[in-house]
């Protein structure tokens, strides 16, 4: 049975990779000020960053279940299996929307993989890439690939340093007064994603140089698989 790989735009997969890897994209809606457009990767990221830096409120929303249902219906008619790799269910309702769409379509050969701790763009893309590699190797069935991805995601470790607290405050997750103080003293939180996809603060470091040293030590404290090296 032919296997179709599907992902959402949180994986940050590019148009070139979509074509090269033969992956279908479910775009998330982007709300940028008064404008709304699907994050279908046709707009350069520079547009997004310019809006963000310029002070526009930029937010994403989850795709509708209908967006998934259309893709699932196509696979059902074609007799294809589907492996859907999606952003953590702890951060978005995208996963739940896909599960609802699967029940709407009534097709058993749909396997939905919650990225969980591998939820950031680079890590989620890594899951998509592995799914494509296993599909192209032709040795595993769709349920076997889905099971492999669920095991593989537990091996991914993601650390990030927040250079500014401004965007967290703009998103309503931190009081603006606290963010202003943190930025003034050059506070650089280092965060990680738990195995369940929740964000945790590991350390709060003063200064960019200290933060980079801590990040380096964190990376070096974990062994790296030669087949899947560190992604900056």
């Amino acid at each position: 049975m032919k296997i179709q790989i599907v992902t959402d735009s949180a994986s940050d997969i590019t148009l070139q990779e979509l074509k090269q890897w033969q992956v279908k994209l479910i775009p998330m809606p982007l709300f940028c000020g008064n404008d709304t457009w699907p994050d279908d990767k046709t707009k350069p990221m520079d547009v997004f960053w310019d809006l963000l830096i310029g002070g526009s409120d930029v937010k994403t929303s989850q795709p509708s279940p209908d967006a998934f249902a259309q893709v699932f219906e196509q696979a059902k008619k074609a007799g294809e299996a589907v492996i859907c790799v999606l952003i953590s269910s702890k951060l978005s309702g995208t996963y739940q929307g896909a599960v609802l769409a699967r029940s709407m379509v009534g097709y058993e050969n749909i396997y939905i993989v919650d990225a969980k701790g591998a939820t950031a763009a680079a890590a989620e893309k890594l899951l998509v890439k592995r799914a494509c590699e296993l599909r192209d190797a032709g040795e595993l069935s769709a349920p076997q690939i889905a099971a492999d991805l669920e095991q593989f995601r537990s091996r991914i470790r993601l650390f990030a340093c927040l250079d500014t607290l401004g965007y967290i405050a703009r998103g309503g997750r931190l009081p603006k007064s606290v963010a202003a103080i943190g930025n003034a003293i050059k506070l650089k939180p280092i965060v990680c994603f738990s195995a369940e996809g929740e964000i945790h603060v590991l350390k709060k470091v003063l200064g960019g140089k200290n933060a980079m040293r801590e990040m380096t030590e964190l990376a070096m404290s974990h062994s790296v698989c030669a087949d899947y090296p560190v992604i900056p």
Side-chain angles (χ1 to χ4, degrees):
M1 177 179 287
K2 186 177 179 181
I3 300 172
Q4 176 65 59
I5 309 296
V6 177
T7 190
D8 55 57
S9 49
S11 65
D12 227 15
I13 193 168
T14 66
L15 280 176
Q16 181 179 357
E17 288 165 339
L18 286 171
K19 294 176 182 178
Q20 180 181 347
W21 299 351
Q22 299 181 42
V23 173
K24 286 190 176 180
L25 180 71
I26 304 294
M28 293 178 162
L30 274 176
F31 301 97
C32 304
N34 296 324
D35 297 324
T36 303
W37 65 72
D39 185 14
D40 57 7
K41 306 307 175 185
T42 58
K43 286 186 179 292
M45 284 300 295
D46 291 347
V47 174
F48 168 79
W49 290 118
D50 287 345
L51 287 168
L52 198 60
I53 294 170
S56 296
D57 288 329
V58 180
K59 299 178 181 179
T60 61
S61 181
Q62 67 195 54
S64 69
D66 285 341
F68 286 102
Q70 290 178 17
V71 173
F72 294 168
E73 282 284 5
Q74 292 172 1
K76 181 180 180 180
K77 290 179 180 178
E80 298 175 350
V82 177
I83 296 175
C84 211
V85 180
L86 302 175
I87 185 174
S88 170
S89 57
K90 296 290 186 179
L91 300 180
S92 171
T94 301
Y95 176 86
Q96 288 81 0
V99 172
L100 175 58
R102 178 174 59 187
S103 66
M104 291 165 54
V105 172
Y107 187 47
E108 294 182 354
N109 294 316
I110 299 171
Y111 304 89
I112 304 173
V113 179
D114 187 341
K116 292 191 175 181
T119 193
E124 187 179 343
K125 182 190 287 190
L126 191 60
L127 284 175
V128 175
K129 186 174 185 291
R130 182 170 178 86
C132 293
E133 291 172 346
L134 293 175
R135 175 201 60 193
D136 296 343
E139 297 178 357
L140 300 180
S141 64
Q144 288 173 324
I145 292 175
D148 178 278
L149 295 179
E150 291 176 351
Q151 187 280 328
F152 181 74
R153 75 185 172 202
S154 67
R155 297 166 52 193
I156 299 175
R157 297 291 180 271
L158 179 66
F159 305 105
C161 176
L162 306 183
D163 189 49
T164 175
L165 303 178
Y167 298 119
I168 298 177
R170 281 168 56 179
R173 297 179 182 271
L174 188 71
K176 292 183 179 179
S177 58
V178 175
I181 294 172
N183 287 334
I185 63 174
K186 298 182 179 180
L187 182 67
K188 311 292 184 185
I190 296 176
V191 301
C192 72
F193 286 86
S194 72
E196 294 304 312
E198 298 171 324
I199 301 175
H200 295 290
V201 177
L202 289 180
K203 293 185 178 182
K204 299 175 183 178
V205 184
L206 296 179
K209 290 184 178 179
N210 290 332
M212 288 301 100
R213 183 174 62 250
E214 291 287 348
M215 290 281 287
T216 300
E217 290 178 359
L218 277 171
M220 293 181 66
S221 68
H222 292 77
S223 58
V224 177
C225 174
D227 295 330
Y228 296 94
V230 174
I231 299 176

